[in-house]
């Protein structure tokens, strides 16, 4: 067993096996992604993995070494500077080790008697993070979630309950969001049985306040939740939060902000101004397994007043009997819609203690600065076109003169060869005019990436352009 006083003796040799297998797998991969594409990766795994359920086991060290090495060799490694496709961060070593400790101790955060210290640590840490978002709130608090999707769903749920949606004498909550919003927002309305969410135009990549005002006027008298975005998945753009908050307040609407990507900018004195207006939100989604360098999962839903989370209260006598609660045992069921859940707060708390606010700010500023350097390198290359200067750490670019189909082929060829991992985004021109085009997307989340690595990424793209026949002279059709 991993726990108890004998646990460390059992763990130590197994940890050495895992660390060795991780190193061997990464060396064998030799790049940001395994080569050959999905079929080749699956075939290699099947050939070397052996039976999933053998009649006789081969022992713990053999199983760990074989499977961890295979997984590492076949991984997309977000620590590699050429792996920049998604909001998929390289986790800090200190956070990963803390997550291991959480697995060993295995507290279940659904009753105090399963997680005495973990529940107290969660209460302390969530309140500090909520106060960062809502500095003037009467009693800021936060719930730990599996990520931005769950946090967005909870934000919609709390708004529905606050509006009394579902009762006989009220109209259902209407969710209004920018066309740039994360897909989990309209999906939350669907999951909760609400009318289809209304998408407000975002012609320049951010929610248009004038269009929002018209939509809210048309919904006069109906309960409304406005959802803004602070860091879109396509471009990293931040909606005009002060204007959106003002419109929501003037119309009596609730405001939820999806800051899953951009929220950690609050740690940085130089970049927190991008989030002015965030403090006026009724709920905010954060996700520290993006710009926070935590192993997944590390999401939060914050609120300016803990009383606003009371709608989630639930009674299960075997977990939070009323007399136990009255006797002083903390009631944890209202902290989540999940029952069994891991103490994901441990890795967050360890990271905050290890780095402090200034250490977190340094990592954030370094990642954003690396994205700005990459954007400058794109501008300096006549064969490449930059979508816009990055708002956070996402850079969109494309070969000049390339058709959308060619952009897609370039990305897939880099993936298939295990050479580089770039994302894709289809967005309208920055000025809001013209049709949408397909762009290559680099989301820089490694604060250690240097200019040589980003220049190398662009060279790989240009070399692939040559290989697929995109014209070398940008003046050619």
């Amino acid at each position: 067993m991993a726990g108890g006083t004998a646990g460390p003796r059992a763990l130590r040799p197994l940890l050495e096996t895992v660390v060795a297998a991780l190193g061997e797998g990464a060396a064998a991969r030799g790049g940001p992604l395994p080569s050959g594409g999905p079929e080749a990766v699956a075939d290699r795994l099947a050939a070397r993995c052996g039976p999933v359920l053998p009649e006789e086991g081969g022992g713990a060290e053999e199983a760990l070494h074989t499977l961890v090495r295979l997984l590492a060799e076949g991984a997309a490694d977000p620590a590699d500077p050429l792996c920049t496709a998604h909001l998929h961060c390289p986790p800090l070593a200190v956070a990963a080790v803390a997550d291991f400790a959480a697995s060993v101790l295995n507290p279940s955060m659904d009753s105090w008697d399963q997680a005495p210290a973990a529940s107290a640590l969660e209460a302390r840490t969530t309140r500090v993070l909520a106060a960062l978002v809502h500095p003037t709130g009467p009693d800021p608090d936060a719930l730990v979630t599996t990520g931005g999707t769950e946090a967005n769903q909870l934000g919609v749920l709390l708004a529905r309950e606050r509006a009394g949606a579902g009762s006989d004498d009220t109209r259902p909550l209407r969710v209004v969001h920018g066309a740039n919003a994360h897909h989990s927002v309209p999906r939350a309305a669907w999951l909760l049985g609400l009318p289809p969410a209304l998408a407000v135009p975002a012609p320049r990549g951010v929610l248009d306040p004038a269009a929002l005002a018209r939509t809210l006027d048309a919904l006069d008298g109906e309960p409304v939740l406005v959802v803004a975005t602070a860091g879109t998945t396509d471009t990293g753009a931040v909606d005009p939060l002060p204007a959106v908050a003002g419109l929501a307040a003037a119309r009596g609407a609730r405001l939820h902000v999806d800051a899953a990507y951009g929220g950690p900018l609050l740690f940085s004195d130089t970049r927190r101004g991008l989030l002015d207006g965030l403090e006026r939100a009724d709920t905010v989604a954060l996700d520290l397994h993006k710009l926070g360098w935590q192993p997944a999962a590390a999401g939060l839903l914050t609120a300016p007043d803990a009383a606003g989370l009371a709608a989630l209260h639930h009674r299960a006598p075997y977990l939070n009997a009323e007399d136990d609660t009255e006797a002083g045992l903390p009631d944890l069921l209202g902290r989540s819609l999940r029952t069994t859940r891991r103490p994901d707060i441990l890795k967050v708390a360890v990271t905050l203690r290890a780095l402090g606010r200034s250490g977190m700010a340094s990592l954030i500023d370094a990642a954003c600065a690396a994205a700005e350097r990459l954007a400058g390198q794109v501008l300096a290359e006549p064969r490449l076109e930059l979508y816009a200067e990055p708002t956070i750490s996402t850079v969109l670019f494309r070969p000049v003169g390339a058709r959308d189909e060619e952009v897609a082929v370039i990305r897939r060829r880099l993936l298939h060869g295990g050479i580089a991992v770039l994302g894709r985004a289809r967005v309208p021109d920055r000025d809001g005019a013209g049709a949408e085009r397909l762009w290559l997307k680099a989301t820089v989340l490694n604060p250690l990436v240097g200019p040589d690595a980003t220049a190398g990424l662009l060279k790989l793209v240009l070399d692939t352009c040559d290989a697929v026949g995109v014209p070398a002279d940008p003046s050619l059709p």
Side-chain angles (χ1 to χ4, degrees), residues 349-402:
V350 167
T351 300
L352 296 179
R353 182 181 177 92
L355 299 183
R357 188 198 61 79
S358 63
M360 294 295 293
S362 295
L363 293 178
I364 289 161
D365 290 341
C368 293
E372 291 164 358
R373 285 197 305 269
L374 173 58
Q377 291 170 329
V378 172
L379 284 172
E381 172 50 63
R383 294 182 59 189
L384 297 175
E385 176 184 0
L386 180 69
Y387 175 74
E389 291 291 335
T391 303
I392 305 178
S393 67
T394 299
V395 180
L396 298 189
F397 64 99
R398 54 181 282 137
V400 173

Side-chain angles (χ1 to χ4, degrees), residues 165-241:
S167 62
D168 293 338
D169 57 351
T170 60
R171 283 177 283 185
L173 180 76
R174 303 304 301 268
V175 177
V176 177
H177 62 84
N180 59 344
H182 192 262
H183 63 84
S184 62
V185 174
R187 198 168 190 224
W190 168 71
L191 283 168
L192 292 169
L194 298 172
L198 299 175
V200 174
R204 292 173 175 81
V206 294
L207 192 155
D208 179 12
L212 175 62
R214 291 192 295 271
T215 301
L216 294 178
D217 286 343
L219 296 172
D220 186 38
E222 297 189 43
V224 173
L225 172 67
V226 175
V227 179
T229 305
T232 63
T233 53
D234 277 342
T235 69
V238 176
D239 285 341
L241 299 179

Side-chain angles (χ1 to χ4, degrees), residues 39-52 67 70:
E39 289 188 11
V41 172
D43 288 345
R44 284 197 295 268
L45 184 74
R48 295 159 56 189
C49 184
V52 173
L67 294 181
L70 279 172

Side-chain angles (χ1 to χ4, degrees), residues 112-113 315 319-332:
W112 181 87
D113 57 349
R315 183 74 67 187
L319 294 173
N320 61 343
E322 190 169 356
D323 58 319
D324 278 349
T325 302
E326 290 174 354
L329 293 183
D331 181 353
L332 304 185

